[in-house]
Protein backbone atom coordinates (compact mmCIF):
# COMPACT_ATOMS: atom_id res chain seq x y z
CA UNK A 1 0.00 0.00 0.00
CA UNK A 2 2.80 2.39 0.91
CA UNK A 3 4.64 1.61 -2.32
CA UNK A 4 1.44 2.19 -4.33
CA UNK A 5 0.93 5.58 -2.62
CA UNK A 6 4.54 6.55 -3.28
CA UNK A 7 4.20 5.73 -6.95
CA UNK A 8 1.02 7.79 -7.17
CA UNK A 9 2.68 10.72 -5.37
CA UNK A 10 5.67 10.53 -7.70
CA UNK A 11 3.40 10.53 -10.72
CA UNK A 12 1.49 13.58 -9.43
CA UNK A 13 4.79 15.41 -8.76
CA UNK A 14 6.01 14.57 -12.26
CA UNK A 15 2.80 15.84 -13.81
CA UNK A 16 2.92 19.05 -11.74
CA UNK A 17 6.54 19.62 -12.76
CA UNK A 18 5.68 19.15 -16.40
CA UNK A 19 2.69 21.44 -16.12
CA UNK A 20 4.81 24.06 -14.31
CA UNK A 21 7.41 23.94 -17.06
CA UNK A 22 4.78 24.44 -19.74
CA UNK A 23 3.40 27.42 -17.83
CA UNK A 24 6.91 28.95 -17.61
CA UNK A 25 7.37 28.47 -21.35
CA UNK A 26 4.01 30.06 -22.00
CA UNK A 27 4.92 33.02 -19.80
CA UNK A 28 8.29 33.35 -21.53
CA UNK A 29 6.63 33.36 -24.95
CA UNK A 30 4.26 36.06 -23.77
CA UNK A 31 7.10 38.14 -22.24
CA UNK A 32 9.05 38.02 -25.48
CA UNK A 33 6.17 39.67 -27.27
CA UNK A 34 5.99 42.56 -24.80
CA UNK A 35 8.41 45.48 -25.06
CA UNK A 36 10.79 45.97 -22.10
CA UNK A 37 10.15 49.20 -20.25
CA UNK A 38 13.09 50.23 -18.04
CA UNK A 39 12.43 51.93 -14.71
CA UNK A 40 13.23 55.62 -14.57
CA UNK A 41 14.24 56.82 -11.11
CA UNK A 42 12.57 60.14 -10.41
CA UNK A 43 13.85 63.22 -8.64
CA UNK A 44 11.94 65.16 -6.01
CA UNK A 45 12.82 68.84 -6.29
CA UNK A 46 11.56 69.71 -2.80
CA UNK A 47 10.67 67.67 0.25
CA UNK A 48 7.08 67.43 1.46
CA UNK A 49 5.99 70.60 3.25
CA UNK A 50 6.40 70.85 7.03
CA UNK A 51 6.11 71.27 9.89
CA UNK A 52 9.30 69.34 10.65
CA UNK A 53 11.39 68.04 13.51
CA UNK A 54 15.17 68.32 13.12
CA UNK A 55 17.60 65.90 14.81
CA UNK A 56 21.37 66.41 14.73
CA UNK A 57 23.28 63.14 14.24
CA UNK A 58 26.66 64.20 15.58
CA UNK A 59 29.20 61.77 14.12
CA UNK A 60 32.35 61.22 16.20
CA UNK A 61 33.62 58.14 14.37
CA UNK A 62 35.18 59.67 11.26
CA UNK A 63 32.14 59.90 9.01
CA UNK A 64 29.72 62.68 8.11
CA UNK A 65 27.35 64.23 10.60
CA UNK A 66 23.80 64.85 9.42
CA UNK A 67 20.69 66.78 10.37
CA UNK A 68 17.68 64.54 9.75
CA UNK A 69 14.39 66.20 8.87
CA UNK A 70 11.28 64.35 10.06
CA UNK A 71 7.60 64.96 9.47
CA UNK A 72 6.30 66.48 12.69
CA UNK A 73 3.10 64.39 12.67
CA UNK A 74 4.23 60.81 12.05
CA UNK A 75 8.05 61.15 12.10
CA UNK A 76 8.42 60.00 8.51
CA UNK A 77 11.93 60.86 7.32
CA UNK A 78 11.56 63.71 4.80
CA UNK A 79 15.20 64.54 4.08
CA UNK A 80 18.64 65.25 5.49
CA UNK A 81 21.71 67.45 5.07
CA UNK A 82 25.27 66.31 5.73
CA UNK A 83 28.46 67.97 6.98
CA UNK A 84 31.68 66.91 8.65
CA UNK A 85 32.47 65.43 12.05
CA UNK A 86 31.23 66.63 15.46
CA UNK A 87 28.49 68.90 14.17
CA UNK A 88 26.53 71.67 15.87
CA UNK A 89 23.43 73.12 14.24
CA UNK A 90 20.69 75.71 14.38
CA UNK A 91 17.70 76.60 12.21
CA UNK A 92 16.48 80.00 11.01
CA UNK A 93 13.32 81.47 12.50
CA UNK A 94 11.37 80.85 9.27
CA UNK A 95 12.66 77.27 9.13
CA UNK A 96 13.96 77.77 5.59
CA UNK A 97 17.64 77.41 6.45
CA UNK A 98 19.82 75.01 8.45
CA UNK A 99 23.23 76.18 9.71
CA UNK A 100 25.82 73.52 10.58
CA UNK A 101 29.34 73.86 12.00
CA UNK A 102 31.51 70.75 11.71
CA UNK A 103 35.07 69.58 11.16
CA UNK A 104 36.81 68.09 8.13
CA UNK A 105 39.98 66.17 8.91
CA UNK A 106 41.77 64.62 5.90
CA UNK A 107 44.05 62.47 8.09
CA UNK A 108 41.51 62.00 10.90
CA UNK A 109 43.95 62.12 13.86
CA UNK A 110 46.92 64.12 12.54
CA UNK A 111 47.72 67.05 10.30
CA UNK A 112 45.64 70.11 9.59
CA UNK A 113 41.88 70.21 9.28
CA UNK A 114 39.12 72.75 8.69
CA UNK A 115 36.14 73.96 10.63
CA UNK A 116 33.38 75.06 8.30
CA UNK A 117 29.99 76.75 8.61
CA UNK A 118 27.68 75.20 6.02
CA UNK A 119 24.35 76.71 5.06
CA UNK A 120 21.59 74.49 3.67
CA UNK A 121 18.22 75.16 2.06
CA UNK A 122 15.64 73.07 3.92
CA UNK A 123 13.15 72.64 1.08
CA UNK A 124 15.68 71.22 -1.37
CA UNK A 125 18.21 69.79 1.15
CA UNK A 126 20.96 71.51 -0.84
CA UNK A 127 24.14 73.26 0.27
CA UNK A 128 23.93 76.95 -0.62
CA UNK A 129 27.06 78.38 0.99
CA UNK A 130 30.21 77.46 2.92
CA UNK A 131 32.23 79.73 5.19
CA UNK A 132 35.61 78.52 6.45
CA UNK A 133 35.98 79.36 10.14
CA UNK A 134 39.00 79.79 12.39
CA UNK A 135 40.24 76.32 13.30
CA UNK A 136 38.92 76.66 16.85
CA UNK A 137 35.28 75.51 16.94
CA UNK A 138 34.40 73.59 20.10
CA UNK A 139 34.48 69.81 19.65
CA UNK A 140 31.89 68.98 22.27
CA UNK A 141 28.69 66.98 22.66
CA UNK A 142 26.15 69.06 20.79
CA UNK A 143 24.12 71.71 22.57
CA UNK A 144 22.06 74.46 21.01
CA UNK A 145 24.10 77.00 22.99
CA UNK A 146 27.17 76.32 20.84
CA UNK A 147 25.82 77.85 17.61
CA UNK A 148 23.38 80.75 17.74
CA UNK A 149 21.99 83.40 15.39
CA UNK A 150 21.68 87.07 16.30
CA UNK A 151 18.17 88.45 16.71
CA UNK A 152 18.06 89.75 13.12
CA UNK A 153 19.88 86.66 11.80
CA UNK A 154 22.57 88.75 10.08
CA UNK A 155 25.28 87.37 12.38
CA UNK A 156 25.94 83.91 13.70
CA UNK A 157 27.98 83.13 16.81
CA UNK A 158 30.23 80.04 16.97
CA UNK A 159 31.54 78.64 20.26
CA UNK A 160 35.32 78.05 20.23
CA UNK A 161 37.49 75.99 22.59
CA UNK A 162 41.19 75.29 22.05
CA UNK A 163 40.74 74.76 25.13
CA UNK A 164 40.80 78.58 25.57
CA UNK A 165 37.25 79.78 25.02
CA UNK A 166 36.11 82.45 22.59
CA UNK A 167 33.26 83.16 20.15
CA UNK A 168 33.69 83.66 16.41
CA UNK A 169 31.30 86.27 15.03
CA UNK A 170 30.37 85.56 11.41
CA UNK A 171 28.72 88.04 9.05
CA UNK A 172 26.43 85.79 6.99
CA UNK A 173 25.95 88.21 4.11
CA UNK A 174 29.68 88.90 3.73
CA UNK A 175 30.47 85.23 4.29
CA UNK A 176 33.35 85.82 6.69
CA UNK A 177 34.37 85.90 10.34
CA UNK A 178 34.47 89.54 11.38
CA UNK A 179 35.89 89.16 14.89
CA UNK A 180 36.78 86.71 17.63
CA UNK A 181 35.46 87.64 21.07
CA UNK A 182 37.60 86.23 23.91
CA UNK A 183 35.45 84.66 26.64
CA UNK A 184 38.00 83.27 29.12
CA UNK A 185 36.50 80.78 31.54
CA UNK A 186 33.02 81.13 30.03
CA UNK A 187 31.02 78.85 27.73
CA UNK A 188 27.71 78.83 25.88
CA UNK A 189 26.05 81.54 23.76
CA UNK A 190 22.74 83.24 24.66
CA UNK A 191 21.91 86.07 22.23
CA UNK A 192 19.79 89.03 23.30
CA UNK A 193 16.32 89.46 21.83
CA UNK A 194 17.48 92.55 19.95
CA UNK A 195 20.77 94.01 18.80
CA UNK A 196 24.10 92.19 18.74
CA UNK A 197 24.81 91.27 22.34
CA UNK A 198 25.12 87.80 23.82
CA UNK A 199 25.72 86.37 27.27
CA UNK A 200 27.75 83.36 28.38
CA UNK A 201 28.04 81.21 31.54
CA UNK A 202 31.28 81.55 33.50
CA UNK A 203 33.07 79.05 35.69
CA UNK A 204 32.70 81.12 38.86
CA UNK A 205 28.89 81.20 38.73
CA UNK A 206 28.59 84.59 37.02
CA UNK A 207 27.55 85.49 33.47
CA UNK A 208 29.42 87.74 31.06
CA UNK A 209 27.49 89.84 28.55
CA UNK A 210 29.22 91.07 25.40
CA UNK A 211 27.63 94.01 23.60
CA UNK A 212 28.81 94.12 19.99
CA UNK A 213 28.88 97.32 17.94
CA UNK A 214 26.43 98.05 15.12
CA UNK A 215 28.62 96.31 12.55
CA UNK A 216 29.58 93.43 14.86
CA UNK A 217 33.31 94.19 14.76
CA UNK A 218 33.75 95.67 18.26
CA UNK A 219 32.49 94.80 21.73
CA UNK A 220 32.18 95.90 25.32
CA UNK A 221 31.67 93.47 28.18
CA UNK A 222 30.10 93.47 31.64
CA UNK A 223 30.04 90.76 34.30
CA UNK A 224 27.00 89.90 36.40
CA UNK A 225 26.84 89.25 40.10
CA UNK A 226 27.14 85.60 41.11
CA UNK A 227 24.09 83.76 39.79
CA UNK A 228 24.60 80.15 40.94
CA UNK A 229 26.99 78.01 42.99
CA UNK A 230 29.10 75.95 40.60
CA UNK A 231 29.83 73.31 43.26
CA UNK A 232 26.47 73.03 45.01
CA UNK A 233 24.03 73.75 42.19
CA UNK A 234 25.60 73.79 38.69
CA UNK A 235 23.33 74.60 35.75
CA UNK A 236 23.02 73.04 32.32
CA UNK A 237 23.96 74.81 29.09
CA UNK A 238 20.42 74.15 27.85
CA UNK A 239 17.97 77.04 28.18
CA UNK A 240 14.74 78.48 26.80
CA UNK A 241 13.00 81.84 26.79
CA UNK A 242 10.05 82.30 29.15
CA UNK A 243 8.15 85.53 28.47
CA UNK A 244 11.41 87.08 27.30
CA UNK A 245 13.48 85.89 30.25
CA UNK A 246 16.16 83.20 30.11
CA UNK A 247 15.28 80.00 31.96
CA UNK A 248 17.96 77.56 33.06
CA UNK A 249 17.74 74.48 35.26
CA UNK A 250 20.34 73.06 37.61
CA UNK A 251 21.40 69.44 38.07
CA UNK A 252 19.34 69.50 41.28
CA UNK A 253 16.17 70.58 39.39
CA UNK A 254 16.18 74.22 40.49
CA UNK A 255 14.79 76.63 37.89
CA UNK A 256 16.83 79.82 37.42
CA UNK A 257 14.89 82.66 35.81
CA UNK A 258 17.25 85.38 34.54
CA UNK A 259 16.80 88.68 32.74
CA UNK A 260 19.17 90.12 30.14
CA UNK A 261 16.91 93.07 29.30
CA UNK A 262 19.25 95.68 30.85
CA UNK A 263 22.42 94.49 29.15
CA UNK A 264 23.64 92.46 32.12
CA UNK A 265 22.30 89.18 33.49
CA UNK A 266 20.16 89.56 36.62
CA UNK A 267 18.68 86.76 38.72
CA UNK A 268 14.92 87.05 39.06
CA UNK A 269 14.11 83.84 40.91
CA UNK A 270 15.28 80.34 41.83
CA UNK A 271 12.53 77.73 42.14
CA UNK A 272 13.03 74.10 43.24
CA UNK A 273 10.64 71.69 41.53
CA UNK A 274 11.67 68.34 43.05
CA UNK A 275 12.24 69.04 46.75
CA UNK A 276 8.99 67.42 47.93
CA UNK A 277 9.05 64.50 45.50
CA UNK A 278 9.97 61.06 46.84
CA UNK A 279 12.76 59.27 45.00
CA UNK A 280 15.55 61.88 44.96
CA UNK A 281 14.69 63.16 41.50
CA UNK A 282 17.04 65.40 39.52
CA UNK A 283 17.33 66.82 36.05
CA UNK A 284 18.73 64.37 33.52
CA UNK A 285 19.81 64.40 29.88
CA UNK A 286 21.37 66.99 27.55
CA UNK A 287 18.59 69.18 26.07
CA UNK A 288 16.70 69.10 29.34
CA UNK A 289 14.02 71.79 29.17
CA UNK A 290 11.59 73.28 26.68
CA UNK A 291 8.81 75.85 27.09
CA UNK A 292 5.34 75.97 25.55
CA UNK A 293 4.41 79.63 25.04
CA UNK A 294 0.70 79.08 24.44
CA UNK A 295 0.06 77.60 27.89
CA UNK A 296 3.04 78.88 29.88
CA UNK A 297 4.17 75.36 30.71
CA UNK A 298 7.80 74.32 31.04
CA UNK A 299 8.80 70.70 30.38
CA UNK A 300 11.84 69.27 32.17
CA UNK A 301 13.44 65.84 31.71
CA UNK A 302 13.99 64.04 35.03
CA UNK A 303 15.41 60.84 36.53
CA UNK A 304 15.32 59.31 40.05
CA UNK A 305 18.24 58.46 42.34
CA UNK A 306 20.03 61.70 41.50
CA UNK A 307 23.71 61.91 42.48
CA UNK A 308 26.95 63.51 41.30
CA UNK A 309 27.58 62.37 37.74
CA UNK A 310 24.02 61.23 37.02
CA UNK A 311 22.99 64.44 35.28
CA UNK A 312 23.49 62.97 31.79
CA UNK A 313 21.68 59.70 32.46
CA UNK A 314 18.58 58.94 30.41
CA UNK A 315 15.47 60.74 31.61
CA UNK A 316 12.74 58.45 32.92
CA UNK A 317 10.04 61.10 33.16
CA UNK A 318 9.18 64.51 31.71
CA UNK A 319 7.59 66.93 34.16
CA UNK A 320 5.09 69.59 33.09
CA UNK A 321 5.49 72.70 35.25
CA UNK A 322 3.21 75.74 35.27
CA UNK A 323 5.66 78.64 35.57
CA UNK A 324 3.15 81.37 36.50
CA UNK A 325 1.34 79.25 39.09
CA UNK A 326 4.61 77.76 40.39
CA UNK A 327 3.04 74.31 40.25
CA UNK A 328 4.03 70.85 39.07
CA UNK A 329 1.17 69.69 36.85
CA UNK A 330 2.05 66.18 35.71
CA UNK A 331 4.85 63.59 35.53
CA UNK A 332 4.86 61.53 32.33
CA UNK A 333 6.91 58.31 31.95
CA UNK A 334 9.12 58.44 28.83
CA UNK A 335 11.51 56.22 26.88
CA UNK A 336 14.94 57.00 28.35
CA UNK A 337 15.33 60.41 26.72
CA UNK A 338 18.53 62.43 26.23
CA UNK A 339 16.82 65.53 24.82
CA UNK A 340 13.37 67.08 24.55
CA UNK A 341 11.61 69.78 22.54
CA UNK A 342 8.00 70.99 22.87
CA UNK A 343 6.02 72.96 20.29
CA UNK A 344 4.56 76.39 21.08
CA UNK A 345 1.00 75.85 19.82
CA UNK A 346 -2.31 75.36 21.65
CA UNK A 347 -2.28 71.61 21.01
CA UNK A 348 1.40 70.96 21.72
CA UNK A 349 3.53 67.93 20.97
CA UNK A 350 6.58 66.83 22.90
CA UNK A 351 9.49 65.30 20.96
CA UNK A 352 12.28 63.31 22.53
CA UNK A 353 15.44 61.50 21.47
CA UNK A 354 16.95 58.37 22.99
CA UNK A 355 20.67 57.67 22.56
CA UNK A 356 20.36 54.11 23.87
CA UNK A 357 17.60 53.16 21.44
CA UNK A 358 18.66 55.53 18.62
CA UNK A 359 15.07 56.68 18.30
CA UNK A 360 13.10 59.89 18.07
CA UNK A 361 9.64 59.95 19.66
CA UNK A 362 6.55 62.12 19.46
CA UNK A 363 4.24 62.44 22.45
CA UNK A 364 0.84 64.12 22.26
CA UNK A 365 0.22 66.47 25.21
CA UNK A 366 -3.30 66.86 26.58
CA UNK A 367 -3.97 70.32 28.07
CA UNK A 368 -7.19 68.95 29.60
CA UNK A 369 -5.22 66.29 31.46
CA UNK A 370 -2.49 68.51 32.93
CA UNK A 371 -0.29 67.96 29.85
CA UNK A 372 0.06 64.22 30.29
CA UNK A 373 2.24 62.83 27.48
CA UNK A 374 1.11 59.91 25.30
CA UNK A 375 3.50 58.35 22.77
CA UNK A 376 1.97 58.47 19.28
CA UNK A 377 4.91 58.01 16.88
CA UNK A 378 8.55 56.94 16.75
CA UNK A 379 11.37 56.54 14.23
CA UNK A 380 14.66 54.69 14.65
CA UNK A 381 18.19 54.54 13.23
CA UNK A 382 19.23 58.20 13.42
CA UNK A 383 22.56 57.70 15.22
CA UNK A 384 24.07 59.65 18.16
CA UNK A 385 22.08 62.80 18.92
CA UNK A 386 21.60 65.09 21.90
CA UNK A 387 19.79 68.04 20.31
CA UNK A 388 16.62 68.53 18.32
CA UNK A 389 14.44 71.40 17.15
CA UNK A 390 11.10 71.91 15.45
CA UNK A 391 9.34 74.21 13.03
CA UNK A 392 6.16 74.78 15.03
Amino acid sequence: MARHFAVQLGFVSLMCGALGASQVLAQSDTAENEPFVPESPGKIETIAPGPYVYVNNQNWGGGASAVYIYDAADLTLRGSVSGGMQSHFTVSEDNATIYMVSGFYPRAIAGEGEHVLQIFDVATNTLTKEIVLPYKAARYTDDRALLQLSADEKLIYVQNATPATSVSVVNLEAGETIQEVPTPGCFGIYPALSGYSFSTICGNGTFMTFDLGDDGTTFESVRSEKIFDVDEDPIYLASDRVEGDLMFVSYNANLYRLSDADGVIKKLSVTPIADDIEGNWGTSGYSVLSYNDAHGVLFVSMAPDHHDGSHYHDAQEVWAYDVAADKLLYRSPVDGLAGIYVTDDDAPSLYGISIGESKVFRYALDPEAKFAAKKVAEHDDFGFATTLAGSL
Side-chain angles (χ1 to χ4, degrees):
M1 183 70 178
R3 178 182 295 179
H4 181 65
F5 177 76
V7 170
Q8 286 182 324
L9 182 60
F11 177 74
V12 171
S13 299
L14 179 63
M15 291 300 294
C16 289
L19 180 60
S22 65
Q23 288 177 333
V24 170
L25 290 173
Q27 291 172 354
S28 298
D29 290 341
T30 303
E32 288 178 359
N33 296 327
E34 295 178 356
F36 173 71
V37 180
E39 293 184 2
S40 300
K43 179 181 178 182
I44 300 175
E45 297 296 334
T46 60
I47 62 175
Y52 308 119
V53 175
Y54 309 93
V55 176
N56 182 31
N57 171 22
Q58 190 188 35
N59 195 306
W60 284 79
S65 301
V67 174
Y68 292 121
I69 306 169
Y70 296 99
D71 184 283
D74 61 8
L75 296 180
T76 300
L77 182 63
R78 294 301 186 193
S80 65
V81 299
S82 297
M85 290 176 59
Q86 306 155 332
S87 59
H88 308 305
F89 91 113
T90 194
V91 184
S92 62
E93 183 68 25
D94 63 5
N95 285 280
T97 307
I98 293 172
Y99 300 90
M100 180 189 290
V101 165
S102 56
F104 295 86
Y105 312 108
R107 297 176 60 193
I109 61 171
E112 291 299 320
E114 282 187 321
H115 290 156
V116 181
L117 171 66
Q118 294 175 297
I119 304 173
F120 299 92
D121 176 64
V122 170
T124 60
N125 289 189
T126 55
L127 177 67
T128 61
K129 194 172 188 177
E130 288 189 334
I131 302 171
V132 177
L133 301 169
Y135 192 48
K136 298 181 177 184
R139 305 296 82 198
Y140 186 73
T141 304
D142 189 31
D143 192 282
R144 298 299 302 280
L146 306 183
L147 181 67
Q148 286 284 316
L149 289 156
S150 64
D152 62 5
E153 301 194 353
K154 292 182 179 180
L155 304 180
I156 196 165
Y157 309 115
V158 182
Q159 180 67 60
N160 297 326
T162 58
T165 53
S166 64
V167 171
S168 290
V169 181
V170 180
N171 183 308
L172 291 171
E173 183 176 352
E176 62 182 7
T177 300
I178 55 177
Q179 76 161 322
E180 180 183 351
V181 178
T183 60
C186 306
F187 205 72
I189 303 165
Y190 307 95
L193 292 175
S194 62
Y196 294 140
S197 69
F198 66 87
S199 298
T200 182
I201 306 171
C202 301
N204 60 359
T206 67
F207 279 67
M208 286 286 288
T209 298
F210 297 87
D211 185 17
L212 278 58
D214 292 341
D215 62 357
T217 62
T218 61
F219 72 88
E220 296 180 352
S221 63
V222 58
R223 185 180 294 274
S224 75
E225 296 180 354
K226 187 173 181 177
I227 301 296
F228 65 98
D229 190 309
V230 297
D231 296 312
E232 299 297 327
D233 203 31
I235 63 175
Y236 285 81
L237 287 175
S239 71
D240 206 348
R241 290 277 181 177
V242 175
E243 298 177 341
D245 298 326
L246 285 164
M247 187 72 81
F248 293 85
V249 65
S250 72
Y251 295 2
N252 301 317
N254 295 317
L255 299 178
Y256 284 76
R257 186 165 182 165
L258 312 178
S259 173
D260 60 352
D262 296 332
V264 60
I265 294 290
K266 295 180 180 179
K267 182 165 58 180
L268 301 180
S269 63
V270 181
T271 306
I273 64 172
D275 279 4
D276 299 326
I277 307 297
E278 184 179 353
N280 191 27
W281 287 79
T283 320
S284 199
Y286 291 84
S287 302
V288 293
L289 78 168
S290 189
Y291 182 69
N292 172 256
D293 289 323
H295 296 280
V297 176
L298 184 72
F299 294 83
V300 185
S301 58
M302 302 287 291
D305 303 320
H306 172 68
H307 57 270
D308 285 347
S310 70
H311 55 287
Y312 285 142
H313 289 184
D314 294 339
Q316 303 304 308
E317 293 184 355
V318 170
W319 293 9
Y321 189 83
D322 186 323
V323 175
D326 189 16
K327 181 181 180 181
L328 178 61
L329 300 176
Y330 201 87
R331 298 165 53 189
S332 296
V334 291
D335 299 80
L337 301 183
I340 61 173
Y341 163 79
V342 68
T343 61
D344 283 330
D345 52 334
D346 289 323
S349 290
L350 173 75
Y351 297 90
I353 45 179
S354 167
I355 294 176
E357 295 190 46
S358 290
K359 288 185 178 182
V360 55
F361 302 96
R362 177 188 167 222
Y363 303 85
L365 298 171
D366 186 357
E368 300 300 319
K370 300 181 180 180
F371 299 91
K374 178 183 179 181
K375 185 168 64 176
V376 293
E378 65 181 70
H379 193 286
D380 57 9
D381 296 329
F382 64 77
F384 175 80
T386 56
T387 53
L388 70 170
S391 60
L392 288 175

